[in-house]
Every structure is written in C-alpha cells, then in structure tokens.
Amino acid sequence: MAVPWRYCWRWSIINCTKTRLSNYAAFSTLSSRGPGPIAGGAQQKVRGSRGVPSRNGWNAFTTRHKPRQPLPQLCYCKRIHSDTKLKDPFSLAQKDLTHLYDDIKKELFVSGTELRSLCDYYFDGKGKAFRPMIVVLMARALNIHSNSKGDLLPGQRSVAMISEMIHTASLVHDDVIDGSDQRRGKSTINDMWGERKAILAGDFILSAASMALARIGNTTVVSVLSQVIEDLVRGEFMQMGSKENENERFKHYLDKTFKKTASLIANSCRAVSILVNSDPEVHEIAFQYGKNVGIAFQLVDDVLDFTACAAHLGKPSAADLKLGLATGPVLFACQQFPELHSMIMRRFSSKGDVEHAWQYVLKSDGVQQTSYLARRYCDEAVRQVSRLRPSPEREALIRLTEMVLTRDK
Amino acid sequence: MSLRCLLSDELSNVAMHVRKLVGTKHPLLNTARGFVYDSRNNLQMRGLVVLLLSKAAGPSSQAAPDLQAQDMVSGIYPSQRNLAEIAELIHTAFLVHRGVVNLKEWANNGQLKDMQFGNKMAVLSGDFLLANACTGLAQLNNTKVVELISSAIGDLVRGVYYENSPNLEDSNPGDIFDMDVWEEQTFLSHGALLAKSCQAAMELAKHEPKSQRLAYKYGKHISLGHKLHADLQPFVTSSAGEPVVFSLNSGPVVLHRQIVGQDKWQQQLEEAKTFTDQLDYSKLWAAIKSERGVSSAVDLCSYHGNKALEAIQAFPPSEARSALENIAGAVTKF
C-alpha cells in the first residue's frame, strides 16, 4: 500500500488534535499525490454545493491544501449542478450490467457437471454487483473525461465482470477459512457441497477470471489485477496476526482493509482508466477514488456487524468478534475501555469475551467513530473523483459514496 | 517449488502453524512432508521438462526487444525459467488445495478442530502459491501465455472434479466410462498443466506455432505415459498373494473393464466382495491379471512414450533433447 505512514503520523500530530479519530483519518488525504490544481478547484465547489457540515480538524487540514488561486476547471462544476439531473447510480449503471451474470456464466462454461452448479450458485443475479457498478460508472466517467464519448470499451466491460468474479472467488475461499454457513441469506457453498469442492470451485472461478483478463490483451491491466489477487491473500494473512501496539494495530487494520476490500475496487478502477487514457494522473484519480470508497465500504461493513440485525444482513451479527477479529469499532472502543486490550490480544477466545466486547463497543462511541472515519474516506473519494470532467456518471459516483455510508445491509 | 517463495513471511507463518497439525490426520501434513522428504513427489517434473524443452528449442528465430540472446543463461530465457517456476507453483498449490477435507465427514470424530485448522492453513497456503503464480504470470508480459496457463488451472479443477465423481466405485450399469473418457480426464488432471506450460515456453521465445504444437504434444503424451506407468505399478511389480491396492479408475482397470465388458466386470466385482462388502483387491487383481487389460495398458504406455519421442524429433539434436528422450524412454520401461 502506497501510504506513507511516517509522514501521516507527523501530520496528524501537527494538525489533528480535535479528536482521537483524526489521527487515523488524516492519512487518506495525504496518501494521494499532492492535490493538483484541478483537485483543489473542484474540491471547493463540491464541498460548497453538497453542504458538508464543517468539521474543525478536517477543514483546517484541507484548507492547507487549497491552491493559491482558483483555476479554470472550476467552471465545469457550475454547469453540472445547474442542468444535469442526478440519477440513481444503480439505474445509471443498469444498462451496462444487465448481461453481467450471463456473461460470467459464459466464462464459467463447463458442460453438465457438478462444477457448473457450484459456480453458478453465487452468480444468481441476486448479488448487489456493487463492484461492477463502480467499475462501469468509473469507466464511463473516465471515457467522457478522456474523449467525450461515454460508451464502454469491451475491455472495460470485461474488467467489470472480472471484478465480480474475483470478488466471488475470494468469498468462496473466505467462507471456508471462516467456517461460515450463511452468505447473502443462503447456505454457503462449503455448507452445501463440502469444503474441498468449494475451494476448487473458487480456484476455477479465479482461473476463468484470469483467462478473461488475459483476453483483454493488455499486459498492464493484467499486472494491475494480478496485484489484487496477491493483496487479497496477503490481507487474509494479515487478518491472522494481531499487533500489540495500539497505533500499529490501527495501521494494521486499515492496511488489511485496503488489501482485502479496497484493492479490488481501486485496481479495477485503475484498470478501466488504463484502457482509455494514458495519463498516469488520471489513473491515480481512479485508483484513489476506488481505494477510498473501498475502505469506507468495509468500515461501514464492520459497523453493520455491530448494528444491523442478523436477518437483515444475511449473515449472523458479531461475526467478526466470533472469528477473533478486532475491527474498527472495537479498536476505537479499546481507547475508552482499555480492558478490551487483552481480549483483542487473545482474539476473544475466552468464555464470555465476545459478549463483553460487544457490550463495551456499544457503550463506547466506537461505532460512531468508525462511521465518521468512513465518512472521511468518502469525502476523500469525492474530492478525487471531482477532478474529472463532469458527467452524469461522475455525479453518480459521488452519490454512490453517500449510499455506501447510509446502507443498512 | 521456488525458493524465493519458501523464504516469504507468509509461508514461514504457515510452516509455524502447520507444526500444530503434527499428530493430526489432516492431509496437508502429508503434502507438506512430501516437499521435505519424499523425493518421488518432489521431482518437479513440470519445471524440469519446461526448462529442457526451452533449451532444446533454442534461441528465438525472431528478433524481439525482450528476447536478447545475451540474456539467455545456459540456453534458456529468463521468462522461460520463471514459467518453469510458475508451473511448479500451480502444481503445488493444487496438491495443497486437493488436501482440503470436508468437515462434515469429521463432525463426530473429536478431530473437528484440527481439521478446521488444517483446512484454513491449506486454503491460505494454496491461495498464496496461486497468487504468486498469478503475479509471476503477469510479469511475463504475454497475455497469450497468461490465458494458456490460466486455462490449465481450470483444467486441473475439472480433472479433480471428474476424479471425485463416483463413476466407477458405484459401477452403475449405464456408466459410459471407457478409455476415451479416462484419457480426457487424465489429461485434465495430470497432463494439461505440463502440455500447456511446454507450449507457453515456446510462445515466450516466439517460436513458430508448429514448435508450439510439438511442445504441447510432448507434454501431453509424456504425462499420459507417466500416469499409465504409475497406474501399472501394482500389476507389474507385485506378485500374486501380496497385498495390493489400486484405484478402480486406473488405466489398466479401465482397459480391463472395456475388454471384458460391463457384465463380466460386474460379476468379477461381486465375486471379489467379502462378507463385509469390502473389496478383496487381491482377488480382483488376479482376475484383472488373467485378462489382457494389463498388457494393453503397457502397449498404450509405449504408444504415448513413442508419441512423445516423435514430437521432439523436429528439434535439433542436443543434450537437452537427449534428456527429454531419456524421460520418454523411462516412462515406457517396466
């Protein structure tokens, strides 16, 4: 992960003393390359127009980065808000996603075997297809940014499909590793067919994704998405270990979150950008948007593990605690209730740990802090994507960050 | 397997955890033991054949910026070496993933916890090896090779699924299991990775499609011959009365079955059943030995060995080619 931690830490000491939280939030902005003039100009406008409530620490921080003078790009934004109707990101991406699952099934074609039913099991069209949606919107926004034509390139459509395939393959393996028996409100593959076949089916989906990736015919895109597979595995390994030191632990958590969740979104966005534009700065915008939305998405997921009821979520709640994982809310709660420290270190393995930790988290402001951190990541995502030329798809990507924050399942 | 990979933090982490499995029955333990002790499983045949073929085919006839003759080390391009390593990584990842056990079969055994833990390690380490293979493939900068090798991963999965299908063990009368099916399935699980790696090695050196086809053929026939050779071992090395175990899906048995016909095979299976409904393998062994199944399998093995030899005759004579010829010869020797 390209986050300069030492650098962030220094910043946070200087600037962010309002809340404990700001220590951790500061880095997301810093991790981007210095905000260019485009970024600054657009950022001002977006912030104004969306009426984000001012927060001291954050504002003090962002104003430091304001460009010395406003730049011509600013005018884009005025136009967009006056005459473009905001559309629901889902409906805007819909036409590109109608054949998504059919296309995936074609990639996974194996004649009349059991393997086929396993592979089709999760591609039943009932998934949210959250990743392909971001990829498609980003691709269209980038196409408009680059050549004024919004149409998807075939390679970009493939990337959207591949992102969902890689995601699903990793879900199948995760469910075996975690021993889960419920996913999206139905039995997991391992529960239905056994662990051995589940793992092999995951490998099969991955191989099909990899073939589709190769057929795009762009070696850079192959490298970018191979990185995702490596990140996913490394993230899983990181999840096995825990850190004694509190600050290291938070860094470890965010680092793991990037690798396990955000890397796929970030690198898929980068891939569709590479396919249409040769400017590395544009690739970086796409990557940063995906990264920040991805981390926010996972932070909200970790919050929902504490706040949503089991039936709504399609999986049992407090699942992370039961797996011995200390997510954002627990890490924040630990600052208020140091008793949690030893529980985290023993991965909630003693009797009653899960219940106690649960109580501590609800008593603390861990949930609010984590949600707030998620919001900051979304703010950064908005700031990044606002550097692109305006388009309905760009607005949808901005609206999508709001949906990430407010989703309840 | 690649030493670079063994030195990573992740695998040493796994190694540390796998120690906890010592004393349990998780298959991962055996697989891991194989890497260390068992020279038979540790031949790295795929890597070896890829390297030898690369060397035998020689430098590229086409000029390409990433194919400089001075980059070759003992007649092999760096990308081909990486490919050899990737083939081994994938093979090993599969050995590990195949060893994942179904927890429901262990639910009442008191060993469930060990098995859960073993599975977790097996999934993680297999994924780690596969992920390394993926990034390695990407670095080869050749999307054709990426597609070819990725398809081999899919073939391996399909092969394992076939192996698992209760096909022969149940011996339904309507079963269509014959030698063609055997060859198809064996190719998927034992040949596709090698054949496609051989082809990819030629592609990396930009050898013409004809060389690619020949390399593929060598890999395919050597794998099938090798599998038949292994399948034949219980029938050629042991003598009557010795305890034997063999798979009912192995080449000689399938050939035997095809020769004697479904009815007679059913009858032989019935006769070989003990009171407890277990199969008496010695009895079945004797029945199979008395027919032509074994000798047909030996013939078939020689056929594949010869096909492999034939495929590499188009390459100029060299030490590497002789080594490949020796491998083909060894496969047909009993």
Side-chain angles (χ1 to χ4, degrees), chain A residues 124-164:
Chain A
D124 55 0
K126 295 195 182 104
K128 287 185 295 244
F130 176 70
R131 289 155 189 82
M133 179 173 67
I134 293 186
V135 174
V136 161
L137 291 173
M138 179 58 85
R140 284 186 175 271
L142 287 163
N143 293 356
I144 290 170
H145 180 81
S146 314
N147 57 15
S148 318
K149 273 203 296 188
D151 278 344
L152 277 190
L153 305 170
Q156 292 176 323
R157 197 182 300 274
S158 294
V159 172
M161 177 185 78
I162 291 161
S163 70
E164 185 69 4

Side-chain angles (χ1 to χ4, degrees), chain B residues 215-256:
Chain B
Y216 177 94
K217 260 181 116 175
Y218 180 83
K220 174 185 166 174
H221 289 295
I222 210 80
S223 307
L224 290 173
H226 189 261
K227 180 68 167 66
L228 273 168
H229 189 267
D231 282 358
L232 273 163
Q233 288 312 305
F235 296 97
V236 292
T237 53
S238 43
S239 46
E242 279 180 49
V244 283
V245 180
F246 48 87
S247 163
L248 295 186
N249 281 325
S250 70
V253 184
V254 176
L255 269 170
H256 166 78

Side-chain angles (χ1 to χ4, degrees), chain A residues 36-45 66-75 78:
Chain A
I38 313 174
Q43 174 198 346
Q44 264 180 323
K45 185 62 200 170
K66 273 185 191 162
R68 296 287 172 267
Q69 67 224 30
L71 283 141
Q73 275 83 0
L74 198 62
C75 60
K78 283 187 181 140

Side-chain angles (χ1 to χ4, degrees), chain B residues 113-185:
Chain B
K113 270 239 147 67
D114 294 337
M115 291 300 139
Q116 268 168 339
F117 187 73
N119 268 1
K120 194 171 166 174
M121 289 302 118
V123 175
L124 277 173
S125 43
D127 281 352
F128 178 74
L129 297 171
L130 273 183
N132 271 282
C134 280
T135 41
L137 271 178
Q139 280 162 13
L140 296 177
N141 277 328
N142 183 322
T143 54
K144 210 177 145 193
V145 170
V146 175
E147 187 177 352
L148 200 56
I149 303 295
S150 303
S151 76
I153 299 179
D155 292 342
L156 278 168
V157 176
R158 283 161 62 203
V160 176
Y161 263 81
Y162 274 136
E163 271 176 26
N164 281 349
S165 61
N167 245 317
L168 251 185
E169 312 291 341
D170 295 351
S171 291
N172 316 317
D175 216 6
I176 47 148
F177 204 84
D178 61 17
M179 251 350 242
D180 291 342
V181 181
W182 180 88
E183 190 179 307
E184 192 192 329
Q185 298 183 2

Side-chain angles (χ1 to χ4, degrees), chain A residues 110 115 118 173 191 194-197 199-200 203 207 210-211 214-215 219 226 230 233-234 236-237 240, chain B residues 10 97-98 100-104 123-124 127 130 135 138 141 143 147 150-151 154 157-158 160-161 164:
Chain A
V110 264
L115 181 57
L118 263 86
H173 281 200
D191 193 54
E195 281 72 12
R196 190 158 179 265
K197 284 184 173 163
I199 288 306
L200 293 168
D203 291 346
S207 85
S210 189
M211 284 170 74
R215 277 199 294 270
T219 54
S226 303
E230 191 177 320
V233 178
R234 287 190 190 273
E236 199 61 49
F237 271 96
M240 284 185 0
Chain B
E10 278 80 3
H97 272 178
R98 291 175 62 144
V100 167
V101 298
N102 290 329
L103 294 176
K104 279 185 182 158
V123 175
L124 277 173
D127 281 352
L130 273 183
T135 41
N141 277 328
T143 54
E147 187 177 352
S150 303
S151 76
V157 176
R158 283 161 62 203
V160 176
Y161 263 81
N164 281 349

Side-chain angles (χ1 to χ4, degrees), chain A residues 365-386:
Chain A
D365 59 356
V367 163
Q368 291 88 322
Q369 296 269 29
T370 311
S371 310
Y372 183 45
L373 184 56
R375 179 164 285 283
R376 292 198 158 180
Y377 276 100
C378 281
D379 288 343
E380 174 61 11
V382 168
R383 193 180 73 80
Q384 290 287 346
V385 79
S386 302

